Amino acid sequence: EKHIVAYKTFNGISLIKCPKLPVIENPELISIIFNLLGDGSDLKNAGEYANTSLYLLKNFETRLKNAFGDVHVQYNTGKNGFIRFPKILVNLLKKIYNIEFGTFSGDIPQILFKLSKEYTFSALRSFVDDEGHISDNDINITSGNEKLIRKAAMLIKLKIPELKDCYYISKNGK
């Protein structure tokens, strides 16, 4: 690991320079996974995270660099903003956590049910940034992925029971 100066996938658009190896599991890494579950895409040659907030896009880039090293990214800050990043990062997360990032196939990694509350807070914060909002004293999360939102509810009940009466999870607003 000390002698690896960069890495990328065979067809990837860019590489990771000065990689941080080994990849360390921490709340920041888990938050990246939840951003990808919420508004991420597994494209042919890149990973993509979409959000209309430039602040959230830049925050995502910072977390990528903190977790993986010198990650080259490409921004689109127009009406449908997104950030593209090396495909290898999506591949690594999919392999390590046995996870998919598809709109209807995305699922919460089982390991998260065993990690500390700090990880759950980090995950929930990212998920609400993408799939929800906070109003008054309520957290509202809406997604078209029924399995994902059911597991999110289970995770909240298990790891953050003090939130039991202040969140609402629904499938496409129903």
Side-chain angles (χ1 to χ4, degrees), residues 104-118:
F104 300 106
S105 61
D107 195 2
I108 295 174
Q110 283 303 116
I111 187 70
L112 194 57
F113 288 88
K114 298 176 182 158
L115 297 175
S116 75
K117 185 185 274 191
E118 179 186 5

Side-chain angles (χ1 to χ4, degrees), residues 78-97:
K79 180 182 175 189
N80 299 314
F82 63 81
I83 182 172
R84 287 203 176 132
F85 55 92
K87 171 76 170 180
I88 187 77
L89 301 182
V90 174
N91 291 350
L92 282 171
L93 294 172
K94 286 169 64 174
K95 180 74 173 168
I96 292 169
Y97 290 98

Side-chain angles (χ1 to χ4, degrees), residues 2-157:
K2 291 180 182 179
H3 301 291
I4 298 173
V5 295
Y7 63 92
K8 73 177 200 121
T9 59
F10 180 69
N11 289 324
I13 60 170
S14 59
L15 48 85
I16 312 297
K17 296 177 186 173
C18 304
K20 293 186 177 180
L21 296 171
V23 174
I24 305 296
E25 184 174 78
N26 59 36
E28 207 165 50
L29 182 67
I30 298 300
S31 74
I32 291 168
I33 291 170
F34 271 77
N35 282 132
L36 295 175
L37 286 169
D39 283 333
S41 297
D42 182 6
L43 306 175
K44 181 178 180 184
N45 294 318
E48 182 179 280
Y49 169 64
N51 203 297
T52 56
S53 167
L54 182 59
Y55 172 80
L56 292 177
L57 293 174
K58 290 202 173 280
N59 182 271
F60 183 80
E61 177 186 11
T62 298
R63 287 180 286 128
L64 281 178
K65 291 182 180 206
N66 289 345
F68 298 105
D70 187 8
V71 178
H72 174 75
V73 298
Q74 298 172 338
Y75 277 94
N76 174 348
T77 57
K79 180 182 175 189
N80 299 314
F82 63 81
I83 182 172
R84 287 203 176 132
F85 55 92
K87 171 76 170 180
I88 187 77
L89 301 182
V90 174
N91 291 350
L92 282 171
L93 294 172
K94 286 169 64 174
K95 180 74 173 168
I96 292 169
Y97 290 98
N98 190 28
I99 190 172
E100 291 295 325
F101 295 114
T103 301
F104 300 106
S105 61
D107 195 2
I108 295 174
Q110 283 303 116
I111 187 70
L112 194 57
F113 288 88
K114 298 176 182 158
L115 297 175
S116 75
K117 185 185 274 191
E118 179 186 5
Y119 287 75
T120 306
F121 275 123
S122 185
L124 183 59
R125 183 174 46 250
S126 289
F127 201 51
V128 171
D129 281 344
D130 297 326
E131 300 297 305
H133 65 276
I134 298 173
S135 61
D136 297 327
N137 293 322
D138 295 329
I139 301 169
N140 297 286
I141 301 172
T142 303
S143 173
N145 183 334
E146 192 168 348
K147 177 174 67 170
L148 182 62
I149 57 175
R150 279 190 188 153
K151 280 189 131 175
M154 288 170 44
L155 184 63
I156 293 168
K157 286 177 187 173

